[in-house]
Amino acid sequence: MPTEKQKMIAGELYRAGDPALVQERAASQALQQRYNATTVSDVEDRTAILDQWIGSRGTGCALRSPFYADYGYNIHLGRDVFFNYGCVLLDVCPIHIGDMTQVGPYVQILTADHPRDAKTRDTGLEFGRPITIGRNVWIGGGALILPGVSIGEDAVIGAGAVVTRSVAAGATVAGNPARPLVSPASSA
């Protein structure tokens, strides 16, 4: 029988109130609090905290505090990934972010979801869907990346966009819901 954690990571219905998951969120919050009390010059402390908190990360990653995550261990960052201030990653399922991706301030990357069916939702069950963001993506400030979305390499997500569907490599999207932008040259 799979554990609630195994079901959560697999994207199946699970109970977030499971004592083991509650304990893991509390441990993540303790690391989060320590990390968010540091400054950019606290390199050794930040590195030690991130080594305990984040699932994996390449060299040269920079996460400006405050930075928020549910668990941390489901976050996998490539080389030279940058997060600006105030980002939120709800990582009940894996989040993979490719090399050299830059994330603006107050971006939210949310794998956590809830059943649409009222009866199932009333049981307290939740689920999630993984998010994958490719290499060299730029995500503008305040954007929301919703559960199950994939963003192809070299894409641009406009500030404040609500990304409800996957984005093709090289595409630029903006708005709510986010839609591809048409360049003035192509509309003539």
Side-chain angles (χ1 to χ4, degrees):
M1 183 69 132
T3 65
E4 296 302 307
K5 179 178 180 176
Q6 290 168 329
K7 291 189 278 187
M8 176 186 78
I9 293 171
E12 299 171 8
L13 290 170
Y14 75 99
R15 296 198 178 282
D18 175 69
L21 291 176
V22 170
Q23 186 175 13
E24 288 183 355
R25 283 193 306 275
S28 176
Q29 288 175 358
L31 291 168
Q32 174 178 283
Q33 185 176 39
R34 285 179 46 210
Y35 187 81
N36 289 340
T38 66
T39 65
V40 176
S41 63
D42 298 324
V43 176
E44 288 182 24
D45 289 342
R46 284 177 159 230
T47 299
I49 295 165
L50 289 175
D51 286 345
Q52 296 174 56
W53 190 22
I54 303 300
S56 64
R57 61 189 168 80
T59 59
C61 288
L63 286 70
R64 297 279 167 86
S65 58
F67 181 85
Y68 305 99
D70 264 344
Y71 296 95
Y73 55 69
N74 281 323
I75 299 170
H76 304 281
L77 308 175
R79 177 182 49 81
D80 296 321
V81 170
F82 174 78
F83 277 87
N84 215 318
Y85 301 102
C87 292
V88 175
L89 280 69
L90 300 186
D91 64 316
V92 302
C93 283
I95 296 171
H96 291 273
I97 299 177
D99 295 345
M100 300 180 67
T101 288
Q102 297 186 39
V103 181
Y106 301 103
V107 167
Q108 297 180 51
I109 300 173
L110 314 173
T111 67
D113 209 339
H114 298 273
R116 304 304 183 266
D117 173 67
K119 284 186 179 185
T120 306
R121 195 171 51 250
D122 194 45
T123 67
L125 293 171
E126 300 177 12
F127 70 98
R129 291 179 283 163
I131 292 175
T132 301
I133 299 171
R135 182 188 182 286
N136 196 37
V137 171
W138 177 51
I139 302 173
L144 292 164
I145 313 299
L146 297 183
V149 166
S150 291
I151 299 173
E153 66 181 32
D154 300 321
V156 174
I157 310 301
V162 179
V163 183
T164 62
R165 296 186 179 179
S166 292
V167 175
T172 297
V173 301
N176 180 5
R179 299 199 188 286
L181 295 180
V182 178
S183 69
S186 66
S187 63

